[in-house]
Amino acid sequence: MPEPQVVKAGDVTQRVGVEVISKRGVDVPKLIKILIANAAAEFASTYYYYTILRMHLEDRAHWELIVPRIYELGGELPNDLKAFHDGAGCVAAKLPNPPTVVNILTLLLESERCAIRSWSEVCDMTFGKDPRTYDMASRILNEEVEHEAWFIELLAHERDGKIVPSGHFRRGDPGHAPYSKNAGFYNP
């Protein structure tokens, strides 16, 4: 016998997607809170990378994946930009003093490590319960792990004079985000 439906036909105040993952054990309000914190971190890093460091834009791709999922889950972004920024899941990167290459690479390495911890938490929370959020989080996590390896390689060379290869090859144009785009995980 099918389970009774909580969301009634035509109801626009509730979401079946939320009903299903709630029944599977996802604490949806907690998940929304974590996703908003991660979105704030991606927003801050996108601004920082794009306007100050002129780095690649993979974090923008992450932002573009996270925000729709927050709204799909019934959440919303804070209306206060400062509150949004202050609620980031990771400390917002800012140019270190002094702004040496080693200090900048260290800051970026630690930012990636925070992101790995944050996205691992989302993966743990949603695995086997919320396939859509899990897929998004695992794609972003894959890229954050790559970023950590890149910064370890760069920092080890710059600071310690050591070769610690990341094992990754240059791919596409700056900003190309193969995992977090809406494409297959390995789609050459």
Side-chain angles (χ1 to χ4, degrees):
M1 173 136 203
E3 291 186 35
Q5 294 180 347
V6 174
V7 178
K8 304 297 181 202
D11 184 352
V12 297
T13 65
Q14 296 182 38
R15 298 164 189 264
V16 171
V18 172
E19 173 188 333
V20 169
I21 65 174
S22 291
K23 284 182 181 178
R24 297 176 90 185
V26 174
D27 180 342
V28 175
K30 180 179 178 183
L31 176 59
I32 291 170
K33 184 177 178 181
I34 293 168
L35 290 176
I36 290 171
N38 287 358
E42 297 292 347
F43 177 78
S45 63
T46 296
Y47 166 79
Y48 184 70
Y49 289 166
Y50 184 64
T51 61
I52 298 173
L53 296 179
R54 303 284 187 213
M55 298 278 290
H56 49 80
L57 297 178
E58 284 183 15
D59 288 330
R60 193 188 87 186
H62 298 174
W63 161 261
E64 291 172 356
L65 284 172
I66 300 164
V67 172
R69 189 62 185 140
I70 291 168
Y71 283 90
E72 289 169 357
L73 291 168
E76 61 184 37
L77 297 179
N79 194 29
D80 180 335
L81 186 58
K82 180 169 178 8
F84 182 48
H85 177 273
D86 292 347
C90 297
V91 176
K94 65 178 186 176
L95 201 58
N97 188 11
T100 65
V101 171
V102 168
N103 287 346
I104 292 170
L105 289 173
T106 301
L107 174 92
L108 295 173
L109 174 61
E110 294 311 315
S111 293
E112 298 305 334
R113 288 177 169 168
C114 180
I116 290 168
R117 291 180 188 105
S118 296
W119 288 110
S120 292
E121 181 181 4
V122 174
C123 285
D124 290 346
M125 176 186 252
T126 59
F127 180 74
K129 300 173 185 173
D130 177 359
R132 185 162 170 77
T133 305
Y134 177 81
D135 181 59
M136 174 198 70
S138 64
R139 288 170 184 251
I140 294 171
L141 177 59
N142 276 315
E143 288 175 356
E144 303 299 8
V145 169
E146 278 188 343
H147 300 167
E148 179 191 35
W150 293 342
F151 288 125
I152 286 172
E153 179 178 30
L154 294 169
L155 182 59
H157 182 267
E158 186 67 32
R159 183 188 65 202
D160 306 327
K162 293 184 178 178
I163 307 268
V164 181
S166 65
H168 299 100
F169 299 98
R170 181 182 163 106
R171 60 174 188 253
D173 297 321
H176 181 64
Y179 296 109
S180 63
K181 293 291 185 189
N182 291 325
F185 271 98
Y186 183 71
N187 190 7

